[in-house]
Amino acid sequence: MFRLRFGRLIVYFGEGSTEALAEHIYGVRRVLVVTGRSSARRSGALADVIKILNDAGIEHEVFDHVFPNPTDSVVDSIVEKASESGVEALIAIGGGSVIDSTKFASVLLCSGGKARDYLLGDLSPRCSKPVYAVNLTHGTGSEVDRYSVANIEGEKLKIGIDTTYPEVSVDNPRYALTLPLDQTRYTSIDAFYHSLESSTSTLSNPLTETLASESVSLIAGRLPRVLKSPGDIEAREDLLYAASIAGVGIDNSLTHVVHSLEHTLSGENPMLPHGAGLAILGPRSIRYMYKARPQTLARILRPLDPDLRPLAVDAERAEAAVRRFQEGVGLVENLADYGFSTSDADRVASKTLEVFGKLTGVAPFSVSEEILVEIYKDGF
Ligand SMILES: [Fe+2]
């Protein structure tokens, strides 16, 4: 086991890391444990946390109604439950949807208002209740960053905002052993694009480039290994580490074109898994990113193609390398599989620029409607 510090946040990695929570929540009297429908139980994480709470004499209740692509009303329901119970802190056990929703709820519990008000920009976080996160997937980086993403019910909009950091996070690879194979693919590719986008944004810095290089190298090596042997705990731990440092990358330097377009699509169809959408839209986006930042991406993508040259003319080669990697790990879906049609291209492109202009604005190239239409159409 080892631990990392990012400012005030402490992240524990490795088997046995869950027990480290005990010393941090000592003295808390009452908590709400927030989970999804099944993974907290299936992984064994919920039982481990309940044992820690019982041993420490901490009163607790469980809210287990968070679902993928969560909505504002899920966040409001967590707040309602936590308020009724009079809790002092929240413990999130899950992947990005659970940790995002819990961080968001912790802000509402202290700052007031409804989730929708924050997503629409009418309210800003002022303060938050303490959050402890037990992360179950190697993807979002939510256990190390300050973001929360939620869909606004009835609006077909998915919005990401700054909420808060957890106090302490746990990345225990034992819990990732039961992650289904499709989630293994989707979450890993999420971290992959966090790395590629954060390292090429106009806010990138030497640290995010170094983190991206390490993260992509680990994902390229360990994801195929885990798909062959899902119980490979060392490879799972490396993927957790890769996802968390990619999370530090986006906390510093944001994402841009791939995430913006994907958020538009999964805002319209919440059945589209985030990672599936990124994998569909990513390869053609890489062509544009590579043209703009060939030196950075030649270095980072070296594990996928060692012969990539740091020249814009190798952009198509970089696109092909990413496509080959994705196909090799079974990421082969397209947008038609999720009910989208090529005739939506113009509308999707203009909505992306309108809703996510701030994010597309940090891409390393000028993101036009025309380019977004091309990337979208390549997803069929
Ligand atoms: Fe993401």
Side-chain angles (χ1 to χ4, degrees):
M1 187 179 81
F2 61 94
R3 73 177 191 183
L4 295 181
R5 279 184 180 273
F6 299 112
R8 278 179 45 230
L9 164 66
I10 303 174
V11 189
Y12 291 92
F13 289 88
E15 288 186 80
S17 55
T18 316
E19 287 67 33
L21 266 184
E23 67 170 290
H24 295 282
I25 55 173
Y26 183 78
V28 175
R29 284 169 300 177
R30 199 168 173 77
V31 300
L32 181 66
V33 179
V34 181
T35 76
R37 286 168 184 152
S38 59
S39 59
R41 286 190 173 80
R42 188 180 62 230
S43 63
L46 181 61
D48 289 350
V49 169
I50 298 286
K51 181 175 183 314
I52 289 168
L53 296 175
N54 284 336
D55 289 350
I58 299 170
E59 289 179 46
H60 52 270
E61 289 191 60
V62 177
F63 177 98
D64 59 3
H65 304 302
V66 181
F67 46 79
N69 284 325
T71 58
D72 56 321
S73 63
V74 169
V75 178
D76 291 335
S77 302
I78 299 171
V79 173
E80 201 176 309
K81 177 81 176 171
S83 303
E84 276 169 16
S85 312
V87 302
E88 294 169 354
L90 303 170
I91 301 181
I93 308 177
S97 300
V98 170
I99 301 175
D100 278 15
S101 302
T102 308
K103 292 190 300 188
F104 198 165
S106 82
V107 165
L108 268 64
L109 276 166
C110 181
S111 307
K114 292 282 187 189
R116 190 186 171 92
D117 303 327
Y118 292 81
L119 294 167
L120 292 174
D122 297 332
L123 285 177
S124 298
R126 286 182 289 109
C127 55
S128 58
K129 291 261 188 188
V131 173
Y132 302 87
V134 178
N135 179 37
L136 303 184
T137 71
H138 31 72
T140 65
S142 184
E143 81 279 19
V144 299
D145 70 35
R146 65 186 186 284
Y147 306 125
S148 294
V149 180
N151 286 39
I152 306 180
E153 221 159 74
E155 305 276 350
K156 293 197 167 190
L157 277 178
K158 183 178 189 178
I159 305 285
I161 57 165
D162 290 6
T163 52
T164 188
Y165 295 94
E167 305 287 311
V168 174
S169 291
V170 167
D171 273 312
N172 186 335
R174 211 155 38 80
Y175 304 144
L177 299 179
T178 47
L179 192 63
L181 288 186
D182 59 346
Q183 291 303 317
T184 296
R185 291 184 184 94
Y186 294 151
T187 57
S188 302
I189 211 70
D190 187 19
F192 179 80
Y193 282 105
H194 288 168
S195 298
L196 296 177
E197 291 181 81
S198 61
S199 60
T200 55
S201 85
T202 57
L203 300 173
S204 68
N205 57 45
L207 176 66
T208 49
E209 291 186 27
T210 299
L211 294 177
S213 182
E214 176 70 2
S215 174
V216 166
S217 168
L218 286 171
I219 294 165
R222 306 301 190 271
L223 178 57
R225 219 168 101 180
V226 159
L227 291 170
K228 254 190 224 141
S229 313
D232 184 336
I233 198 158
E234 279 175 22
R236 289 282 190 185
E237 184 168 348
D238 286 345
L239 287 174
L240 281 168
Y241 177 70
S244 70
I245 61 175
V248 176
I250 57 171
D251 200 53
N252 271 268
S253 305
L254 301 179
T255 57
H256 46 83
V257 65
V258 193
H259 269 72
S260 304
L261 201 45
E262 194 290 319
H263 281 177
T264 301
L265 299 185
S266 53
E268 296 202 353
N269 179 5
M271 298 309 288
L272 172 64
H274 179 53
L278 297 172
I280 292 168
L281 301 164
R284 181 53 53 90
S285 304
I286 292 292
R287 183 191 293 197
Y288 285 96
M289 289 156 62
Y290 199 94
K291 270 185 200 163
R293 297 288 298 272
Q295 287 187 329
T296 303
L297 286 180
R299 176 161 81 100
I300 294 170
L301 291 172
R302 194 171 297 147
L304 303 189
D305 182 348
D307 296 326
L308 274 173
R309 296 168 302 171
L311 303 170
V313 290
D314 271 11
E316 286 181 34
R317 185 175 177 133
E319 174 185 352
V322 170
R323 212 178 282 282
R324 205 165 48 241
F325 171 65
Q326 293 188 173
E327 285 169 6
V329 295
L331 288 160
V332 292
E333 292 164 293
N334 67 60
L335 290 178
D337 296 333
Y338 292 96
F340 291 98
S341 145
T342 50
S343 61
D344 295 326
D346 292 337
R347 186 185 56 73
V348 164
S350 76
K351 183 173 174 183
T352 301
L353 287 179
E354 186 191 328
V355 180
F356 299 107
K358 245 186 178 168
L359 271 193
T360 54
V362 301
F365 56 92
S366 173
V367 178
S368 64
E369 219 168 293
E370 201 183 1
I371 290 174
L372 291 174
V373 164
E374 182 192 333
I375 295 170
Y376 176 84
K377 285 187 172 170
D378 184 67
F380 289 86

